[in-house]
Amino acid sequence: MSNDQPTPGQPPEDDDPFLKKPQEPPPPSDGQPPSGSQPPYGSAPPPPPPPPPNDPYGSGGGFGAPDPLAGMPPLAEPGKRILARLIDFLIISIPLYLISLPWGGAIDVDGDGGDGFDGAYSGHQFLWSFIGLVVYVAYDTYFTHKDGRTLGKRLLKLRVAMLNDGRVPDTGAALMRAVVLWAPALLCCPCLWWLINIVLMFTDKPYRQGLQDKAAKTVVVTAR
């Protein structure tokens, strides 16, 4: 018998785990380093992944992220937005006031030199304010859903767009925007509501959104 036979209880030499060499990793393909390996010292880091296609407003913001305004048309100037809103207001309010004249006018002013609001917000005045609210909301909703531009915005080359992708607002977003804009302004606190929105046009960052824009997730930009 050969003296090379292993002693009882000892594994054969080929089965000894301490004599086996670790399996070599497979060679890298396409010039890429093996998984988990670090790039050589001094080499440039890999480029960031490209932004998703058809994203006109970039990929947001935050630390290390692109500019949140990247890919957007220029934001509308606050002065032009105010002027466009004034034009829209006159387009609706002048015909509405003329129509109301046979019924005593939309504005109920006291005949004794009072401020017009002594006593209460009269039923006559409330009725015409409600009619005005319906007309203003319908006007804003229709044109905003149509192409993002009321007549005032069209004259000043502005448009309303959805913040996330730049498309024209759908009916729900257009209606939400119009209701938030006009309901408080016509029914309860006109001066305060307009003041808040004007201040936000100048101070809100980074999109200059009014309260109506925040509610509907829209933004006002320049149009070609």
Side-chain angles (χ1 to χ4, degrees):
M1 295 181 63
S2 171
N3 294 330
D4 295 334
Q5 295 295 330
T7 59
Q10 181 181 359
E13 183 177 346
D14 292 341
D15 294 334
D16 187 351
F18 294 101
L19 296 180
K20 291 183 179 180
K21 296 181 180 180
Q23 186 178 2
E24 295 292 335
S29 58
D30 300 331
Q32 298 295 328
S35 176
S37 63
Q38 298 294 327
Y41 179 76
S43 63
N54 302 323
D55 184 7
Y57 285 1
S59 57
F63 182 76
D67 183 352
L69 303 180
M72 291 179 62
L75 293 175
E77 296 178 6
K80 287 187 174 182
R81 291 183 63 178
I82 295 171
L83 182 57
R85 183 56 62 193
L86 179 60
I87 292 172
D88 291 329
F89 178 79
L90 294 176
I91 287 173
I92 298 298
S93 62
I94 292 177
L96 193 63
Y97 177 74
L98 294 177
I99 292 171
S100 74
L101 287 178
W103 291 274
I107 302 176
D108 189 13
V109 180
D110 293 339
D112 59 356
D115 61 4
F117 293 94
D118 291 343
Y121 196 55
S122 71
H124 175 85
Q125 190 174 0
F126 181 83
L127 174 62
W128 281 103
S129 293
F130 182 77
I131 293 173
L133 172 63
V134 173
V135 174
Y136 282 116
V137 168
Y139 168 87
D140 236 272
T141 300
Y142 172 76
F143 283 105
T144 300
H145 172 60
K146 181 175 180 286
D147 59 3
R149 295 183 289 179
T150 60
L151 298 180
K153 287 182 174 64
R154 187 181 299 275
L155 288 174
L156 294 176
K157 301 185 184 303
L158 310 177
R159 76 178 181 94
V160 179
M162 296 304 295
L163 178 61
N164 60 341
D165 57 9
R167 61 184 169 84
V168 172
D170 58 22
T171 303
L175 178 60
M176 171 66 74
R177 190 177 190 277
V179 169
V180 172
L181 175 65
W182 290 109
L186 293 176
L187 297 181
C188 66
C189 45
C191 296
L192 178 61
W193 198 248
W194 291 125
L195 179 61
I196 291 172
N197 277 290
I198 289 173
V199 170
L200 285 174
M201 288 181 196
F202 286 92
T203 61
D204 180 70
K205 302 296 182 183
Y207 300 117
R208 297 178 185 169
Q209 290 176 296
L211 294 175
Q212 70 277 9
D213 292 311
K214 292 182 182 296
K217 298 179 173 59
T218 57
V219 66
V220 182
V221 297
T222 58
R224 295 171 183 171

